Amino acid sequence: MGKQSGAHIVWDWNGTLFHDNDAIIGATNAAFAELGLEPITLERYRALYCVPVPKFYERLMGRLPTEAEWAVMDEVFHRYYAEHRVRCGLTEGAAELLAGWRSAGHSQSILSMYGHEELVPLVQRFGIEAHFLRVDGRTGPSGGSKAEHMVRHLGALAGVVNPARTVVIGDAADDAVAARHVGARAVLYTGGSHSRASLEGAGVPVVDTLEEAVTEAQRLAA
């Protein structure tokens, strides 16, 4: 990799580079059906979604799911999602933005809360892995925050990437929390799991396109 220490973007995957809203909503509703819950619309999902994910279910159920309920819902969600993600693609313009950022001499990586063993071949399927210094998915149980995973991710890039010149681009307020946790900045994108209203409470720039996100990242990392 070599020393870089210039502007660096840590990209989120689901709902950011990977436009998988339909698969996410379908998987969520499949999980809800296991407990006899009513299906949810994309608009309601985006208004209420939060991490840790059991808190999201609490907002909908009026209580936290039991451990047994969570285990069932989590298994159904991931099984359904794996079946339906094949119909999803990269967010419009993402491939060109990745290539442009790299050709400008900047570095980038992916940190996702999607399981690492599933994430890596999915990124490879789109032929974009060469743009990234590192691709990391979640290890361990699902449902938690990204902050500790961000510590691990940037720790692996220590000496190559400077957190002070790093910008996290994601679609969830938790991406901003994770960025602050490691001394990085964040830009949040409205095309994924959160509504603009819910993102604006994070206290970071909120944009409607990935092109705007990259422009903001360049400004913040200057």
Side-chain angles (χ1 to χ4, degrees), residues 136-190:
D136 280 331
R138 171 186 48 78
T139 58
S142 62
S145 173
K146 186 178 268 189
E148 291 307 318
H149 295 275
M150 189 67 73
V151 172
R152 171 174 56 89
H153 182 71
L154 287 189
L157 294 170
V160 179
V161 169
N162 178 2
R165 296 200 64 196
T166 294
V167 180
V168 177
I169 298 179
D171 68 321
D174 190 50
D175 290 299
V177 172
R180 277 194 294 270
H181 192 66
V182 295
R185 313 290 286 275
V187 178
L188 299 181
Y189 163 62
T190 63

Side-chain angles (χ1 to χ4, degrees), residues 50-95:
C50 63
V51 294
V53 178
K55 292 290 291 182
F56 168 54
Y57 290 150
E58 182 182 27
R59 290 181 174 186
L60 294 162
M61 300 169 64
R63 61 175 176 82
L64 280 169
T66 66
E67 286 188 17
E69 288 171 334
W70 165 250
V72 169
M73 295 171 83
D74 193 47
E75 189 278 328
V76 171
F77 177 94
H78 285 96
R79 175 159 40 84
Y80 182 100
Y81 180 83
E83 292 170 359
H84 290 78
R85 72 182 185 196
V86 295
R87 293 199 289 269
C88 302
L90 294 177
T91 300
E92 184 176 358

